[in-house]
Amino acid sequence: MCGIVTAISTQNVVPVLLEGLRKLEYRGYDSAGLAVLYNNDLVRLRAAGRVADLAAMADERSLAANIGIAHTRWATHGEPSERNAHPHISDGLAVVHNGIIENYEEIRERLTAKGFKFTSETDTETIAHLVKDKLNEGLDLFEAVRLAANELEGAYAIGVVCENDSTRAIVARKGSPLLLGVGEEGMYAASDTSALLQVTRKVIYLEDGDVAELKLDGYRICLSDGTPVERGITVSSLSADAIELGQYRHYMQKEIFEQPQALANTLEMIAGGNVVSPQVFGAQAGEVLGATRRVLIIACGTSFHAGLVARYWLESIAGIPCSVEIASEYRYRTSVPDPDTLVVVISQSGETADTLAALKHAKSLGMNKTLAICNVPESAIVRETALRFITRAGPEIGVASTKAFTTQLAALALLTLSMAKVNGRLTEEDESRYLTAMRHLPVAVAKVLELEPEIEQWAQRFASKQHALFLGRGRHWPIAMEGALKLKEISYIHAESYAAGELKHGPLALVDRDMPVIAVAPADELIEKLKSNLQEVRARGGELYVFADAGSEIPESDGVHILHMPEHYGMLSPVLHVIPLQLLSYHAALVKGTDVDKPRNLAKSVTVE
Ligand code: F6R
């Protein structure tokens, strides 16, 4: 949800700002802008399009400067347009912002009464005028930003530069991610590390309420009350390759094919042994899991689907009651708190505003047994929980989540086995059998990826469809949900998912020759039930696309297309069955010519409510 970059350097910062924006474009991409100080004068460029459009404008003007701020936007207040694009300016002072200011209307009214003129519909312009108002009162720029930030309600990561003050840039954060980069030639700040690898690996994660001044010869950080504070420097181990496309056409394709490695990395700790240890979730995990009576999983989107799969595992294998809630619902619902419940939050980014707020809500209700399953170690969500498991998927840049999902499932499978163990429900034999299957997962996933050519052919037929129906049963129903979400989000084909047994209770009315029905059909304990549901579809002329295991025994016939997956993979079968659905949506989107990695209206890291 928007990305910001700030730079002050002995070198020209324009290429640094633009390259930073390119790396942050996954966070929002409906408009982009930058402001630099050139001979103490403010120069602003904005484009109602992609970073490439902004770069072309900067090129045309041969823009060069030693200090500047930049922004790539995902619109919240006001349509995507040049007028609403950041930076926003108040009489020589420029601001970029990621987040949402909840009290902006009240501040806007106050500042309008003082004579400030607003030219956009954004909440961010309020920040620019508010800081300017403080400057007009005679405050120094750092203090003006700090005191203005204290008046803001909501979430922000901001970068500020000001005309006639070209020796420094000021940044501040609360709720939205922001880190500093300590370089050889200057100081930088950005929404994530990937934007800064071009200039430095030395980063400083700012905490909520921090305000920092960046100068050529160093930096200083203060708390919101003005007290100076030290924050440690971390040397990022993020590899530049991890964020480059390499041989692939799209990040989504790259990330789908990285799944064997991502799973192997995530499961590295079980590589050598035949026993599962709850300690992989933290030193206190054995004790916490032993005292847990229920599990409440909270997440959004794809991460929510991972939670739904885990419910089947936790109840059937660990014998623990489990409920799964969409974060944006849970946080506003009056629920019955239970201190013996383990609250598990799942998030790729660790910054999703709804998930973070739902976690805080659960804690405020006295539920302090908390576990984060997350792909970003230093994220806000990880910092809020007592226990944590970091998936090692590597950076996920494509907006549609793929490798994060399968590694979340791997983590949740480990959680299930750990809970089964502490509850005395795991025999040594079962433990060893499950762990062997988990260790073999990367190879099994690689085998499924070999089916790509057949899936590509299916995708050709899908691309002309307006609608699609996804069916699954049991622990594969969430996989059908995930397949439908992937298809709609990147190919814009309307897709619905149903538990196959629900079909006859309504959705069967939709089935006709134009409605392809995709069935997730593993050879599990529900396969015969699923086959009956598929008969119901065929009897109404619906065309079936079935992802069947070697043992599912569904014959191919007119209107029934079968894709043969490998042998049934038991408990972990959902991990394999989601792969062809990811590939199907990817190839359908390719045929349709959509922007696979940056689907319309969406962005990664949903840091707004
Ligand atoms: C779908 C997708 C989203 C995210 C959701 C939660 O492909 O990526 O549905 O899963 O926004 O994001 P995280 O996992 O970062 O909390």
Side-chain angles (χ1 to χ4, degrees):
M1 297 274 119
C2 302
I4 70 170
V5 193
T6 300
I8 176 163
S9 168
T10 52
Q11 309 297 310
N12 180 10
V13 295
V14 175
V16 177
L17 294 173
L18 289 170
E19 180 55 18
L21 289 188
R22 280 186 203 103
K23 291 290 183 287
L24 294 178
E25 220 175 359
Y26 72 90
R27 301 179 68 88
Y29 35 81
D30 55 42
S31 48
L34 60 78
V36 294
L37 295 175
Y38 184 70
N39 287 339
N40 264 328
D41 288 336
L42 193 67
V43 181
R44 172 175 67 173
L45 296 182
R46 295 186 294 176
R50 295 286 166 89
V51 172
D53 303 314
L54 181 71
M57 290 167 83
D59 242 25
E60 208 173 285
R61 299 181 52 157
S62 307
L63 196 63
N66 298 106
I67 175 169
I69 53 178
H71 187 267
T72 176
R73 182 169 187 246
W74 186 83
T76 55
H77 297 74
E79 54 165 12
S81 64
E82 189 181 330
R83 189 167 66 93
N84 288 329
H86 301 208
H88 288 285
I89 288 183
S90 180
D91 186 23
L93 177 133
V95 174
V96 287
H97 164 225
N98 166 31
I100 284 201
I101 305 305
E102 285 163 7
N103 58 340
Y104 82 102
E105 277 168 330
E106 169 209 319
I107 300 174
R108 189 176 172 132
E109 241 170 68
R110 183 155 46 91
L111 293 172
T112 307
K114 278 188 160 182
F116 284 97
K117 297 266 176 295
F118 284 79
T119 58
S120 77
E121 298 152 80
T122 66
D123 51 344
T124 305
E125 196 178 2
T126 321
I127 308 175
H129 291 317
L130 189 60
V131 177
K132 188 68 192 179
D133 190 38
K134 308 274 178 214
L135 282 182
N136 291 347
E137 285 169 13
L139 288 175
D140 142 87
L141 183 62
F142 186 88
E143 280 302 285
V145 174
R146 183 179 72 78
L147 292 176
N150 284 348
E151 288 183 33
L152 304 176
E153 285 167 20
Y156 57 79
I158 54 179
V160 183
V161 290
C162 188
E163 227 166 57
N164 301 319
D165 201 346
S166 59
T167 61
R168 59 185 172 161
I170 313 294
V171 299
R173 79 153 281 198
K174 193 183 97 187
S176 301
L178 189 65
L179 48 93
L180 305 187
V182 184
E184 295 285 315
E185 282 148 352
M187 281 297 303
Y188 310 87
S191 302
D192 82 28
T193 317
S194 65
L196 298 184
L197 282 185
Q198 51 167 332
V199 280
T200 185
R201 288 194 167 276
K202 289 190 202 159
V203 297
I204 298 167
Y205 295 100
L206 295 181
E207 300 280 335
D208 273 356
D210 284 357
V211 184
E213 179 180 70
L214 315 186
K215 290 180 128 181
L216 272 184
D217 57 358
Y219 62 93
R220 67 181 166 116
I221 306 172
C222 284
L223 302 176
S224 58
D225 64 3
T227 314
V229 66
E230 295 287 329
R231 302 271 179 233
I233 296 183
T234 307
V235 179
S236 169
S237 56
L238 186 63
S239 93
D241 284 354
I243 51 171
E244 294 304 333
L245 253 185
Q247 65 188 42
Y248 295 98
R249 216 169 136 186
H250 295 100
Y251 281 104
M252 183 181 181
Q253 182 191 26
K254 176 177 186 249
E255 287 155 11
I256 289 173
F257 280 88
E258 277 174 349
Q259 288 179 106
Q261 192 58 53
L263 283 163
N265 293 345
T266 299
L267 293 172
E268 199 179 16
M269 73 279 291
I270 58 155
N274 271 340
V275 286
V276 65
S277 159
Q279 266 68 39
V280 296
F281 296 96
Q284 308 301 320
E287 205 180 305
V288 175
L289 299 188
T292 293
R293 297 288 153 259
R294 302 184 65 84
V295 172
L296 166 62
I297 299 179
I298 304 172
C300 304
T302 290
S303 299
F304 170 71
H305 295 156
L308 289 175
V309 174
R311 182 171 61 140
Y312 287 89
W313 290 341
L314 283 163
E315 297 214 341
S316 65
I317 297 169
I320 289 273
C322 174
S323 51
V324 190
E325 297 226 23
I326 291 174
S328 55
E329 285 296 312
Y330 174 74
R331 63 184 286 197
Y332 292 117
R333 181 170 90 71
T334 306
S335 54
V336 182
D338 167 15
D340 293 333
T341 292
L342 175 69
V343 179
V344 180
V345 280
I346 309 173
S347 174
Q348 185 286 127
S349 61
E351 300 290 345
T352 302
D354 282 320
T355 308
L356 182 59
L359 169 63
K360 288 182 177 167
H361 176 64
K363 284 169 70 177
S364 76
L365 296 176
M367 299 209 280
N368 290 314
K369 293 192 177 84
T370 54
L371 163 67
I373 292 178
C374 185
N375 198 35
V376 181
E378 54 292 317
S379 61
I381 283 176
V382 170
R383 287 202 293 256
E384 281 285 331
T385 52
L387 304 178
R388 65 210 47 150
F389 184 98
I390 305 301
T391 51
R392 289 171 59 194
E396 194 182 62
I397 292 167
V399 163
S401 190
T402 52
K403 61 178 180 172
F405 179 70
T406 42
T407 53
Q408 286 166 353
L409 289 181
L412 289 160
L414 276 178
L415 179 66
T416 303
L417 298 185
S418 299
M419 297 201 81
K421 192 163 180 174
V422 295
N423 284 344
R425 288 180 59 114
L426 195 64
T427 64
E428 272 181 31
E429 196 190 342
D430 280 347
E431 184 172 11
S432 163
R433 189 170 50 82
Y434 282 130
L435 288 179
T436 304
M438 287 180 80
R439 272 197 296 272
H440 189 69
L441 252 186
V443 176
V445 168
K447 197 104 203 95
V448 178
L449 287 168
E450 289 172 12
L451 298 171
E452 188 185 26
E454 283 170 72
I455 298 167
E456 210 174 329
Q457 281 181 12
W458 278 18
Q460 302 281 348
R461 303 188 216 166
F462 270 78
S464 58
K465 303 289 181 192
Q466 304 292 320
H467 310 275
L469 201 56
F470 283 71
L471 302 179
R473 291 194 74 134
R475 59 188 179 272
H476 295 88
W477 174 30
I479 297 304
M481 291 178 176
E482 177 58 10
L485 176 63
K486 287 285 94 89
L487 190 70
K488 64 188 139 197
E489 109 186 274
I490 61 163
S491 73
Y492 315 147
I493 296 169
H494 169 227
E496 296 277 353
S497 56
Y498 276 93
E502 268 294 288
L503 204 58
K504 55 188 168 298
H505 299 291
L508 200 54
L510 289 171
V511 170
D512 64 14
R513 294 182 51 195
D514 293 326
M515 170 75 92
V517 178
I518 297 105
V520 183
D524 65 5
E525 55 287 356
L526 289 167
I527 186 66
E528 294 308 322
K529 302 280 173 211
L530 181 78
K531 282 185 197 169
S532 310
N533 304 140
L534 300 187
Q535 291 297 342
E536 292 158 13
V537 172
R538 246 344 262 149
R540 272 97 191 154
E543 192 147 7
L544 281 167
Y545 293 85
V546 183
F547 292 94
D549 291 347
S552 298
E553 293 179 359
I554 304 176
E556 182 130 348
S557 61
D558 188 31
V560 183
H561 313 281
I562 311 284
L563 193 128
H564 295 283
M565 306 263 295
E567 292 295 324
H568 180 54
Y569 211 70
M571 159 195 167
L572 296 167
S573 164
V575 182
L576 300 195
H577 267 274
V578 76
I579 309 283
L581 303 185
Q582 296 170 344
L583 285 169
L584 183 69
S585 56
Y586 173 69
H587 284 287
L590 277 193
V591 178
K592 289 197 74 178
T594 61
D595 193 342
V596 174
D597 285 334
K598 300 187 184 76
R600 70 184 178 205
N601 308 338
L602 299 179
K604 208 149 182 88
S605 270
V606 187
T607 54
V608 295
E609 190 179 336

